[in-house]
Amino acid sequence: MLAGEKAMALSTFSSAASYFETGIKLLSQDHWENEYDLTIHLYNYYAEAEYCNGNFSEVGKVTKLVLEKAKAFYDQVRAYFVLVKTLSAEEKFHDAIQIGIEALTLLG
């Protein structure tokens, strides 16, 4: 986790994605239940690193999983943010707006 965060801070996004992906692979089978905080951070940072790498299909997969598994809206915020940025970068503006509205609706 720390290596990935440092790589992100240094803008070495390919390395960061690799570190976060490795961290995810090393998690236990029941990581969403027993290692929730670490899991949510690894997946969110991984999605952000892959966004920076332009790997938008991976961002979609990862953010979808985070949005399904997150226990609280607070844990979903980064995933929503990265997903909206990704859709905008892909010029899928209608989808980006819809996701943004969905996130704002959850705020109440």
Side-chain angles (χ1 to χ4, degrees):
M1 179 79 168
L2 293 176
E5 289 175 339
K6 283 189 178 201
M8 289 289 286
L10 295 171
S11 299
T12 54
F13 303 116
S14 181
S15 294
S18 178
Y19 295 140
F20 293 129
E21 184 179 29
T22 299
I24 290 168
K25 288 178 181 177
L26 293 173
L27 291 170
S28 65
Q29 198 73 13
D30 55 356
H31 57 272
W32 283 104
E33 292 80 28
N34 294 328
E35 300 173 83
Y36 179 79
D37 289 338
L38 176 59
T39 299
I40 202 76
H41 284 90
L42 282 171
Y43 276 86
N44 274 324
Y45 280 117
Y46 177 57
E48 192 167 345
E50 289 295 22
Y51 164 77
C52 293
N53 289 326
N55 191 355
F56 300 143
S57 62
E58 188 68 11
V59 173
K61 292 176 198 172
V62 174
T63 55
K64 180 181 178 189
L65 185 60
V66 169
L67 295 175
E68 289 173 2
K69 298 284 192 173
K71 295 178 182 177
F73 177 72
Y74 175 79
D75 295 332
Q76 296 175 325
V77 171
R78 179 173 244 131
Y80 274 119
F81 180 65
V82 172
L83 184 55
V84 168
K85 289 192 314 184
T86 299
L87 292 168
S88 296
E90 294 178 300
E91 297 184 2
K92 297 179 181 177
F93 301 115
H94 179 72
D95 293 340
I97 290 169
Q98 289 302 114
I99 295 295
I101 290 170
E102 178 183 320
L104 291 173
T105 302
L106 292 172
L107 280 173

